[in-house]
Coordinates of all heavy atoms in Angstrom, one line a residue:
M10 N 62.3 55.4 -168.5 CA 62.2 55.8 -167.1 C 62.1 57.3 -166.9 O 61.5 57.8 -166.0 CB 63.3 55.2 -166.3 CG 63.3 55.5 -164.8 SD 61.9 55.0 -163.9 CE 62.1 53.3 -163.8
D11 N 62.8 58.0 -167.8 CA 62.8 59.5 -167.7 C 61.4 60.0 -167.8 O 61.0 60.9 -167.0 CB 63.6 60.1 -168.8 CG 65.1 59.9 -168.6 OD1 65.5 59.4 -167.6 OD2 65.9 60.3 -169.6
N12 N 60.6 59.5 -168.6 CA 59.2 60.0 -168.8 C 58.4 59.7 -167.5 O 57.6 60.6 -167.0 CB 58.5 59.3 -169.9 CG 59.0 59.9 -171.3 OD1 59.5 60.9 -171.3 ND2 58.8 59.1 -172.3
R13 N 58.7 58.6 -166.9 CA 58.0 58.3 -165.6 C 58.4 59.2 -164.5 O 57.6 59.6 -163.7 CB 58.3 56.8 -165.2 CG 57.3 56.2 -164.2 CD 56.0 56.1 -164.9 NE 55.1 55.4 -163.9 CZ 53.8 55.5 -164.0 NH1 53.2 56.2 -165.0 NH2 53.1 54.9 -163.2
I14 N 59.6 59.6 -164.4 CA 60.1 60.5 -163.4 C 59.5 61.9 -163.7 O 59.1 62.6 -162.7 CB 61.7 60.6 -163.4 CG1 62.2 59.2 -162.9 CG2 62.2 61.7 -162.5 CD1 63.7 59.1 -163.1
V15 N 59.4 62.3 -164.9 CA 58.8 63.6 -165.3 C 57.3 63.5 -164.8 O 56.8 64.5 -164.2 CB 58.9 63.9 -166.8 CG1 58.0 65.1 -167.2 CG2 60.4 64.2 -167.1
E16 N 56.6 62.4 -165.1 CA 55.2 62.3 -164.6 C 55.1 62.4 -163.1 O 54.2 63.0 -162.6 CB 54.6 61.0 -165.1 CG 54.4 60.9 -166.6 CD 54.0 59.5 -167.1 OE1 53.6 58.7 -166.2 OE2 54.1 59.3 -168.3
F17 N 56.0 61.8 -162.4 CA 56.1 61.8 -161.0 C 56.3 63.2 -160.5 O 55.6 63.7 -159.5 CB 57.2 60.9 -160.4 CG 57.3 60.9 -159.0 CD1 56.3 60.5 -158.1 CD2 58.5 61.2 -158.4 CE1 56.4 60.5 -156.7 CE2 58.7 61.2 -157.0 CZ 57.6 60.8 -156.2
I18 N 57.2 64.0 -161.1 CA 57.4 65.4 -160.7 C 56.1 66.2 -161.0 O 55.8 67.0 -160.1 CB 58.6 65.9 -161.5 CG1 59.9 65.3 -161.0 CG2 58.7 67.5 -161.4 CD1 61.1 65.5 -161.9
R19 N 55.4 65.9 -162.0 CA 54.2 66.6 -162.3 C 53.2 66.3 -161.2 O 52.4 67.2 -160.8 CB 53.6 66.2 -163.7 CG 54.3 66.9 -164.8 CD 53.7 66.5 -166.1 NE 54.5 67.0 -167.2 CZ 54.7 66.4 -168.4 NH1 54.1 65.2 -168.6 NH2 55.4 66.9 -169.3
G20 N 53.1 65.0 -160.8 CA 52.2 64.6 -159.7 C 52.6 65.3 -158.4 O 51.7 65.8 -157.7
L21 N 53.8 65.4 -158.1 CA 54.2 66.2 -156.9 C 53.8 67.6 -157.0 O 53.2 68.2 -156.0 CB 55.8 66.1 -156.7 CG 56.4 64.8 -156.3 CD1 57.9 64.8 -156.4 CD2 55.9 64.4 -154.9
R22 N 54.0 68.2 -158.1 CA 53.6 69.6 -158.3 C 52.1 69.8 -158.1 O 51.6 70.7 -157.5 CB 54.1 70.2 -159.6 CG 55.6 70.4 -159.7 CD 56.0 70.8 -161.0 NE 57.5 71.1 -161.1 CZ 58.2 71.1 -162.1 NH1 57.7 70.7 -163.3 NH2 59.5 71.3 -162.1
A23 N 51.4 68.9 -158.7 CA 49.9 68.9 -158.6 C 49.4 68.8 -157.2 O 48.4 69.3 -156.8 CB 49.3 67.8 -159.5
A24 N 50.3 68.1 -156.4 CA 49.9 67.9 -154.9 C 50.4 69.1 -154.1 O 50.3 69.0 -152.9 CB 50.6 66.6 -154.4
G25 N 51.0 70.1 -154.7 CA 51.4 71.3 -154.0 C 52.9 71.3 -153.6 O 53.3 72.2 -152.9
V26 N 53.6 70.3 -154.0 CA 55.1 70.3 -153.7 C 55.8 71.2 -154.7 O 55.6 71.0 -155.9 CB 55.6 68.8 -153.8 CG1 57.1 68.8 -153.5 CG2 54.9 67.9 -152.8
R27 N 56.6 72.1 -154.2 CA 57.3 73.0 -155.1 C 58.6 72.3 -155.5 O 59.5 72.0 -154.7 CB 57.7 74.3 -154.3 CG 56.4 75.1 -154.0 CD 56.8 76.4 -153.3 NE 57.8 77.1 -154.0 CZ 58.5 78.1 -153.4 NH1 58.3 78.4 -152.2 NH2 59.5 78.7 -154.1
V28 N 58.6 72.0 -156.8 CA 59.8 71.3 -157.4 C 60.3 72.2 -158.6 O 59.6 72.4 -159.5 CB 59.5 69.9 -158.0 CG1 60.7 69.3 -158.6 CG2 58.9 69.0 -156.9
S29 N 61.5 72.7 -158.4 CA 62.1 73.6 -159.5 C 62.6 72.8 -160.6 O 62.9 71.6 -160.5 CB 63.1 74.5 -158.9 OG 64.3 73.7 -158.6
L30 N 62.9 73.5 -161.7 CA 63.6 72.9 -162.8 C 65.0 72.3 -162.4 O 65.4 71.2 -162.8 CB 63.7 73.8 -164.0 CG 64.4 73.3 -165.2 CD1 63.7 72.1 -165.8 CD2 64.5 74.4 -166.3
A31 N 65.7 73.1 -161.6 CA 67.0 72.7 -161.1 C 66.9 71.4 -160.3 O 67.7 70.5 -160.4 CB 67.7 73.8 -160.3
E32 N 65.9 71.3 -159.4 CA 65.7 70.1 -158.6 C 65.4 68.9 -159.5 O 65.8 67.8 -159.3 CB 64.7 70.3 -157.6 CG 65.1 71.3 -156.5 CD 64.0 71.9 -155.7 OE1 62.8 71.8 -156.0 OE2 64.3 72.5 -154.6
S33 N 64.6 69.2 -160.6 CA 64.2 68.1 -161.5 C 65.5 67.6 -162.2 O 65.7 66.4 -162.4 CB 63.2 68.6 -162.6 OG 62.1 69.0 -162.0
V34 N 66.4 68.5 -162.6 CA 67.6 68.1 -163.3 C 68.5 67.3 -162.3 O 69.1 66.3 -162.6 CB 68.4 69.3 -163.8 CG1 69.8 69.0 -164.3 CG2 67.6 69.9 -165.0
D35 N 68.6 67.8 -161.0 CA 69.3 67.1 -160.0 C 68.8 65.7 -159.8 O 69.6 64.7 -159.7 CB 69.2 67.8 -158.6 CG 70.0 69.1 -158.6 OD1 70.8 69.3 -159.5 OD2 69.8 69.9 -157.7
A36 N 67.5 65.5 -159.8 CA 66.9 64.1 -159.7 C 67.3 63.2 -160.9 O 67.7 62.1 -160.7 CB 65.4 64.2 -159.6
M37 N 67.3 63.8 -162.1 CA 67.7 63.0 -163.2 C 69.2 62.6 -163.2 O 69.5 61.5 -163.5 CB 67.4 63.8 -164.5 CG 65.9 64.0 -164.8 SD 65.1 62.4 -165.1 CE 63.6 63.1 -166.0
N38 N 70.0 63.6 -162.8 CA 71.4 63.3 -162.6 C 71.7 62.2 -161.5 O 72.5 61.4 -161.7 CB 72.2 64.6 -162.3 CG 72.3 65.5 -163.5 OD1 72.1 65.1 -164.7 ND2 72.4 66.8 -163.3
A39 N 71.0 62.3 -160.4 CA 71.1 61.3 -159.4 C 70.8 59.9 -159.9 O 71.5 59.0 -159.6 CB 70.3 61.7 -158.2
I40 N 69.7 59.8 -160.6 CA 69.2 58.5 -161.1 C 70.2 58.0 -162.1 O 70.5 56.8 -162.1 CB 67.8 58.6 -161.7 CG1 66.8 59.0 -160.6 CG2 67.4 57.3 -162.3 CD1 66.8 58.2 -159.3
E41 N 70.7 58.9 -162.9 CA 71.7 58.5 -163.9 C 73.0 57.9 -163.2 O 73.6 56.9 -163.7 CB 72.1 59.6 -164.8 CG 73.1 59.3 -165.9 CD 73.4 60.4 -166.8 OE1 72.5 61.3 -167.0 OE2 74.5 60.5 -167.3
T42 N 73.4 58.5 -162.1 CA 74.6 58.1 -161.4 C 74.3 56.9 -160.6 O 75.1 55.9 -160.6 CB 75.0 59.2 -160.5 OG1 75.3 60.4 -161.3 CG2 76.3 58.8 -159.7
L43 N 73.2 56.8 -159.8 CA 72.9 55.8 -158.9 C 72.1 54.6 -159.4 O 72.2 53.5 -158.9 CB 72.1 56.3 -157.7 CG 72.9 57.4 -156.9 CD1 72.0 58.0 -155.8 CD2 74.2 56.9 -156.3
G44 N 71.4 54.8 -160.5 CA 70.6 53.8 -161.2 C 69.3 53.5 -160.5 O 68.9 54.2 -159.5
I45 N 68.6 52.5 -161.0 CA 67.3 52.2 -160.5 C 67.2 50.8 -159.9 O 66.1 50.3 -159.6 CB 66.2 52.4 -161.6 CG1 66.5 51.5 -162.8 CG2 66.1 53.9 -162.0 CD1 65.4 51.5 -163.8
V46 N 68.3 50.1 -159.9 CA 68.3 48.7 -159.5 C 67.9 48.5 -158.0 O 67.1 47.7 -157.7 CB 69.7 48.0 -159.7 CG1 69.7 46.6 -159.2 CG2 70.0 48.0 -161.2
N47 N 68.4 49.3 -157.1 CA 68.1 49.3 -155.7 C 66.9 50.3 -155.5 O 67.2 51.5 -155.5 CB 69.3 49.6 -154.9 CG 69.0 49.5 -153.4 OD1 68.0 49.9 -152.9 ND2 70.0 49.0 -152.7
K48 N 65.7 49.8 -155.2 CA 64.6 50.6 -155.1 C 64.7 51.6 -153.9 O 64.2 52.8 -154.0 CB 63.3 49.8 -154.9 CG 62.0 50.7 -155.0 CD 60.8 49.8 -155.1 CE 59.6 50.7 -155.3 NZ 58.4 49.9 -155.5
D49 N 65.3 51.2 -152.8 CA 65.5 52.1 -151.7 C 66.4 53.3 -152.0 O 66.1 54.4 -151.6 CB 66.1 51.3 -150.5 CG 65.0 50.4 -149.8 OD1 63.8 50.7 -150.0 OD2 65.5 49.4 -149.3
V50 N 67.5 53.0 -152.7 CA 68.4 54.0 -153.1 C 67.7 55.0 -154.1 O 67.9 56.2 -154.1 CB 69.7 53.4 -153.7 CG1 70.6 54.5 -154.4 CG2 70.5 52.7 -152.7
F51 N 67.0 54.4 -155.1 CA 66.2 55.1 -156.1 C 65.2 56.1 -155.4 O 65.2 57.3 -155.6 CB 65.5 54.2 -157.0 CG 64.6 54.8 -158.0 CD1 65.0 55.6 -159.0 CD2 63.2 54.6 -157.8 CE1 64.1 56.1 -159.9 CE2 62.3 55.1 -158.8 CZ 62.8 55.9 -159.8
R52 N 64.5 55.6 -154.4 CA 63.5 56.3 -153.7 C 64.2 57.5 -152.9 O 63.7 58.6 -152.9 CB 62.7 55.4 -152.8 CG 61.5 56.1 -152.1 CD 61.0 55.2 -151.0 NE 60.6 55.9 -149.8 CZ 61.4 56.4 -148.9 NH1 62.7 56.3 -149.0 NH2 60.9 57.1 -147.9
S53 N 65.2 57.1 -152.2 CA 65.9 58.1 -151.4 C 66.5 59.2 -152.2 O 66.5 60.4 -151.8 CB 67.0 57.4 -150.6 OG 66.5 56.5 -149.6
S54 N 67.1 58.9 -153.4 CA 67.7 59.9 -154.2 C 66.6 60.8 -154.8 O 66.9 62.0 -154.8 CB 68.5 59.3 -155.4 OG 67.7 58.5 -156.2
L55 N 65.5 60.3 -155.1 CA 64.4 61.2 -155.6 C 63.9 62.1 -154.4 O 63.7 63.3 -154.6 CB 63.2 60.4 -156.2 CG 63.4 59.8 -157.5 CD1 62.2 59.0 -158.0 CD2 63.8 60.8 -158.6
R56 N 63.7 61.5 -153.3 CA 63.2 62.3 -152.1 C 64.2 63.4 -151.8 O 63.9 64.5 -151.5 CB 63.0 61.3 -151.0 CG 62.4 62.1 -149.8 CD 62.1 61.1 -148.7 NE 61.9 61.8 -147.4 CZ 61.5 61.3 -146.3 NH1 61.3 60.0 -146.3 NH2 61.4 62.0 -145.2
A57 N 65.5 63.0 -151.8 CA 66.5 64.0 -151.4 C 66.6 65.2 -152.4 O 66.9 66.3 -152.0 CB 67.9 63.3 -151.3
T58 N 66.4 64.9 -153.7 CA 66.6 65.9 -154.7 C 65.3 66.7 -154.9 O 65.3 67.9 -155.4 CB 67.1 65.3 -156.0 OG1 66.2 64.3 -156.4 CG2 68.5 64.8 -155.9
L59 N 64.1 66.1 -154.7 CA 62.8 66.7 -155.0 C 62.1 67.4 -153.9 O 61.3 68.3 -154.1 CB 61.9 65.7 -155.7 CG 62.5 65.1 -157.1 CD1 61.5 64.1 -157.6 CD2 62.6 66.2 -158.1
V60 N 62.3 66.9 -152.7 CA 61.5 67.4 -151.5 C 62.4 68.2 -150.6 O 63.4 67.7 -150.1 CB 60.9 66.2 -150.7 CG1 60.1 66.7 -149.6 CG2 60.0 65.4 -151.7
K61 N 62.1 69.4 -150.4 CA 62.9 70.3 -149.6 C 62.2 70.7 -148.3 O 62.8 71.2 -147.4 CB 63.2 71.6 -150.4 CG 64.0 71.4 -151.7 CD 65.3 70.7 -151.4 CE 66.0 70.4 -152.6 NZ 66.7 69.1 -152.7
E62 N 60.9 70.5 -148.2 CA 60.1 70.9 -147.0 C 59.6 69.6 -146.3 O 59.0 68.8 -147.0 CB 58.9 71.8 -147.4 CG 59.3 73.1 -148.1 CD 60.1 74.0 -147.1 OE1 59.8 74.0 -145.9 OE2 60.9 74.8 -147.6
S63 N 59.7 69.5 -145.0 CA 59.3 68.3 -144.3 C 57.8 68.2 -144.5 O 57.3 67.0 -144.4 CB 59.6 68.4 -142.8 OG 59.1 69.5 -142.2
D64 N 57.0 69.2 -144.7 CA 55.6 69.1 -144.9 C 55.2 68.4 -146.2 O 54.1 67.9 -146.3 CB 54.9 70.5 -144.9 CG 55.0 71.2 -143.6 OD1 55.2 70.6 -142.6 OD2 54.8 72.5 -143.6
D65 N 56.2 68.3 -147.1 CA 55.9 67.6 -148.4 C 56.3 66.1 -148.4 O 56.0 65.5 -149.4 CB 56.7 68.4 -149.5 CG 56.2 69.8 -149.7 OD1 55.0 70.0 -149.4 OD2 57.0 70.6 -150.1
F66 N 56.9 65.6 -147.3 CA 57.3 64.2 -147.3 C 56.0 63.3 -147.4 O 56.1 62.3 -148.1 CB 58.0 63.9 -145.9 CG 59.4 64.4 -145.8 CD1 59.9 64.7 -144.6 CD2 60.1 64.7 -146.9 CE1 61.2 65.2 -144.5 CE2 61.4 65.2 -146.8 CZ 61.9 65.5 -145.6
A67 N 54.9 63.7 -146.8 CA 53.7 62.9 -146.9 C 53.3 62.7 -148.4 O 52.9 61.6 -148.8 CB 52.6 63.4 -146.1
A68 N 53.3 63.8 -149.1 CA 52.8 63.8 -150.5 C 53.8 62.9 -151.3 O 53.4 62.0 -152.1 CB 52.8 65.2 -151.1
F69 N 55.1 63.0 -151.1 CA 56.1 62.1 -151.7 C 55.8 60.7 -151.4 O 55.7 59.8 -152.4 CB 57.5 62.5 -151.3 CG 58.5 61.7 -152.0 CD1 59.2 62.1 -153.1 CD2 58.9 60.4 -151.5 CE1 60.1 61.3 -153.8 CE2 59.9 59.7 -152.1 CZ 60.5 60.1 -153.2
E70 N 55.6 60.3 -150.2 CA 55.4 58.9 -149.8 C 54.1 58.4 -150.3 O 54.0 57.2 -150.6 CB 55.4 58.8 -148.2 CG 56.7 59.2 -147.6 CD 57.9 58.4 -148.1 OE1 57.7 57.2 -148.5 OE2 59.1 58.9 -148.1
E71 N 53.1 59.2 -150.5 CA 51.8 58.8 -151.0 C 51.9 58.5 -152.5 O 51.4 57.6 -153.0 CB 50.7 59.8 -150.7 CG 49.4 59.5 -151.3 CD 48.3 60.5 -151.0 OE1 48.5 61.2 -149.9 OE2 47.4 60.6 -151.8
L72 N 52.6 59.4 -153.2 CA 52.7 59.3 -154.7 C 53.7 58.3 -155.2 O 53.5 57.7 -156.3 CB 53.0 60.7 -155.3 CG 51.9 61.7 -155.1 CD1 52.3 63.1 -155.6 CD2 50.6 61.3 -155.9
F73 N 54.8 58.2 -154.5 CA 55.9 57.3 -155.0 C 55.4 55.9 -155.4 O 55.7 55.5 -156.5 CB 57.1 57.2 -154.0 CG 58.2 56.4 -154.5 CD1 59.2 57.0 -155.3 CD2 58.4 55.1 -154.2 CE1 60.3 56.3 -155.8 CE2 59.4 54.3 -154.7 CZ 60.4 54.9 -155.5
P74 N 54.7 55.2 -154.6 CA 54.3 53.9 -155.0 C 53.3 53.9 -156.2 O 53.1 52.9 -156.9 CB 53.6 53.2 -153.8 CG 53.5 54.3 -152.8 CD 54.3 55.5 -153.2
L75 N 52.6 55.0 -156.4 CA 51.7 55.1 -157.6 C 52.4 55.2 -158.9 O 51.9 54.7 -159.9 CB 50.8 56.3 -157.4 CG 49.9 56.3 -156.2 CD1 49.1 57.6 -156.1 CD2 49.0 55.1 -156.1
Y76 N 53.6 55.7 -158.9 CA 54.4 55.9 -160.1 C 55.5 54.8 -160.2 O 55.9 54.5 -161.4 CB 55.1 57.2 -160.1 CG 54.1 58.4 -160.3 CD1 53.4 58.9 -159.3 CD2 53.8 58.8 -161.6 CE1 52.5 59.9 -159.5 CE2 52.9 59.8 -161.8 CZ 52.3 60.4 -160.8 OH 51.3 61.4 -161.0
F77 N 56.0 54.3 -159.1 CA 57.1 53.3 -159.2 C 56.7 52.0 -158.4 O 57.4 51.2 -158.1 CB 58.4 53.9 -158.7 CG 58.7 55.2 -159.4 CD1 58.5 56.4 -158.7 CD2 59.1 55.3 -160.7 CE1 58.8 57.6 -159.3 CE2 59.4 56.5 -161.3 CZ 59.3 57.6 -160.6

């Protein structure tokens, strides 16, 4: 799953979303803590840790189902 999250982060960056290394680590830590069993919690934890600008929500919502 870690590789898939890294690919997703690359996809976000390619779409113009600014995701720092620190935010990437935060996302991995959140997933480690919260798990992936509940897809809504998984999605929300990635969105909360990776997206900081409201303008980037659309890119996240478009890409999330392509990766997960």
Side-chain angles (χ1 to χ4, degrees):
M10 180 58 73
D11 289 352
N12 288 337
R13 197 66 173 162
I14 294 170
V15 170
E16 291 173 15
F17 178 59
I18 291 168
R19 286 184 187 142
L21 288 172
R22 288 177 177 153
V26 179
R27 292 179 51 196
V28 180
S29 71
L30 180 58
E32 291 163 346
S33 299
V34 170
D35 288 346
M37 293 296 200
N38 289 336
I40 298 309
E41 184 177 327
T42 301
L43 299 172
I45 60 171
V46 175
N47 184 320
K48 190 171 184 174
D49 289 332
V50 170
F51 173 67
R52 185 189 143 286
S53 294
S54 63
L55 286 180
R56 184 175 162 177
T58 55
L59 298 174
V60 179
K61 301 299 180 221
E62 301 292 329
S63 61
D64 292 344
D65 295 330
F66 289 151
F69 180 94
E70 297 302 334
E71 181 180 330
L72 291 173
F73 184 83
L75 299 177
Y76 289 86
F77 308 105

